[in-house]
Amino acid sequence: MQKRFPSLSGYGVTWSVNKRVGLFALVITGLLAVAATTAYFTGRGEHGQDQNQSAPSPASSASPSEAAPTPSAGSGSVPAPPQIAEPVAYAKAAAAMLWSYDTRDTSRDQQLAGMRAWMSKEPKYADWASVSGQVPDPLLWSRMADQDQHATAKITEGHYPGAFKQALAEDPSAITQAYIYVVTVNGTQHIVWKKGGGGAEDRAVTLAVQCRPSHDCTLAAIAPSVTQ
């Protein structure tokens, strides 16, 4: 299952992951106007949804419908989206952004605003809830800031999952309505906090990236589970 910011178990605080399987499955079904690709995502989503029904959402999670703040102070340490027109390269940059943060100089509102800048501007295809849900709730962000917690990411590789490549091969022209590409990215997240605390963890994420011809890519959604 897709992971978000790491737990604070190093100093006695934990944060559960809110599974967004149902929401992502519904959105992906609508946004990917590709029969084979839609079937691929829906199949993944239905499998995860069965698991999700037995696991209630934790109270500490961010609201799925939370709007992206636009603080006057900008987006803190969150990098601006790169001008990249190639899906895998953009997905790798997006994954690095998602796995990096710095509570020392970035508020939670700034983190959300910075992440929102990476999103597709087409409401029909953008699943903001799957992205904003990666950010801890205000209380936990405050506790992270008290510990000067920050993280960086090292990306090792990105690729199209086999099922997506097969779907494209079966109907190459089907992608030309939404231009949504499915990309899985692998890497390592390094986390540091006060008094020398820290560690590293392998990460993986499957993203839906929109790359229309003659336009820079944007982030459409985060899958509820990783597909290699």
Side-chain angles (χ1 to χ4, degrees):
M1 185 59 64
Q2 167 64 27
K3 296 181 179 179
R4 303 181 194 160
F5 289 82
S7 71
L8 304 186
S9 57
Y11 31 89
V13 182
T14 60
W15 180 51
S16 300
V17 174
N18 178 23
K19 301 175 183 177
R20 297 185 173 277
V21 178
L23 175 62
F24 189 90
L26 289 173
V27 173
I28 271 303
T29 300
L31 75 83
L32 294 183
V34 183
T37 308
T38 300
Y40 155 64
F41 261 104
T42 302
R44 298 290 303 179
E46 288 175 350
H47 174 72
Q49 194 169 21
D50 292 339
Q51 298 174 337
N52 189 48
Q53 289 174 350
S54 63
S57 300
S60 62
S61 299
S63 169
S65 59
E66 182 171 16
T70 54
S72 58
S75 57
S77 63
V78 183
Q83 295 181 322
I84 297 176
E86 197 282 316
V88 174
Y90 189 87
K92 291 166 68 175
M97 178 274 296
L98 291 168
W99 296 334
S100 303
Y101 59 90
D102 195 336
T103 64
R104 298 171 301 179
D105 60 12
T106 304
S107 69
R108 182 176 180 273
D109 280 358
Q110 288 175 321
Q111 185 74 23
L112 285 168
M115 293 166 67
R116 186 67 180 86
W118 288 67
M119 295 294 297
S120 168
K121 301 303 187 291
E122 300 180 42
K124 181 178 180 180
Y125 302 125
D127 179 14
W128 169 238
S130 69
V131 177
S132 64
Q134 306 301 303
V135 180
D137 63 46
L139 177 59
L140 181 52
W141 187 272
S142 176
R143 291 177 177 175
M144 292 164 64
D146 289 342
Q147 297 295 328
D148 291 342
Q149 186 167 320
H150 53 286
T152 57
K154 180 179 180 181
I155 304 302
T156 54
E157 67 88 36
H159 64 275
Y160 298 119
F164 178 72
K165 290 191 293 185
Q166 180 179 350
L168 269 182
E170 292 175 354
D171 190 357
S173 65
I175 201 170
T176 58
Q177 179 173 334
Y179 284 98
I180 300 291
Y181 298 83
V182 182
V183 182
T184 293
V185 180
N186 290 279
T188 304
Q189 184 187 53
H190 299 268
I191 180 173
V192 179
W193 57 82
K194 281 183 177 179
K195 299 180 180 179
E201 182 180 15
D202 290 338
R203 294 272 174 161
V205 65
T206 297
L207 304 175
V209 175
Q210 186 177 41
C211 298
R212 290 195 178 279
S214 303
H215 289 79
D216 294 330
C217 295
T218 55
L219 178 61
I222 299 176
S225 59
V226 176
T227 302
Q228 297 290 354

